[in-house]
């Protein structure tokens, strides 16, 4: 059980696919920094089709703040759009950069 669930706070999970100029511009590191600041868990990775996928989990307000951050990304990126999918929480309590 993660800390949010232990504290009686609902946890939500969203899979966010980010399209645009988002690879090779520091997007994943920027996302990891934002996740740490916002207190969400999950992962962020580059996909073969040129998009970035973030799997974000935590308290609803923190996850929504993370999604808003991903809509913009770092100043070196150009986000053309995002797709958000709801998933069942898995209990992620740390955030890491993968692939």
């Amino acid at each position: 059980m993660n800390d949010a669930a232990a504290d009686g706070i609902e946890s939500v999970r969203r899979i966010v696919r980010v399209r645009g100029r988002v690879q090779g511009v520091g997007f994943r590191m920027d996302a990891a920094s934002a996740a740490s600041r916002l207190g969400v868990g999950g992962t962020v990775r580059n996909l073969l089709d040129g998009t970035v996928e973030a799997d974000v989990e935590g308290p609803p307000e923190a996850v929504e703040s993370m999604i808003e951050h991903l809509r913009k990304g770092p100043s070196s990126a150009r986000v053309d759009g995002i797709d958000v999918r709801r998933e069942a929480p898995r209990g992620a309590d740390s955030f890491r950069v993968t692939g």
Side-chain angles (χ1 to χ4, degrees):
M1 184 181 295
N2 65 21
D3 289 341
D7 292 339
I9 299 170
E10 176 191 355
S11 186
V12 299
R13 179 175 168 221
R14 301 291 181 264
I15 308 297
V16 184
R17 178 80 60 97
V18 186
R19 300 181 312 276
R21 186 168 55 91
V22 293
Q23 290 190 11
V25 294
F27 198 97
R28 292 176 301 156
M29 290 300 156
D30 180 71
S33 176
S36 176
R37 185 177 73 252
L38 294 168
V40 296
T43 60
V44 64
R45 65 186 179 135
N46 286 339
L47 298 181
L48 293 175
D49 65 1
T51 63
V52 168
E53 182 181 78
D55 184 337
V56 183
E57 183 172 340
E61 288 182 8
V63 170
E64 285 304 314
S65 293
M66 183 67 181
I67 292 170
E68 285 307 309
H69 181 83
L70 294 169
R71 284 185 198 281
K72 299 176 184 115
S75 59
S76 53
R78 186 195 74 243
V79 175
D80 293 337
I82 70 169
D83 300 307
V84 181
R85 188 174 82 235
R86 294 172 184 259
E87 292 289 338
R90 296 187 300 188
D93 56 4
S94 64
F95 196 90
R96 57 195 175 89
V97 175
T98 64

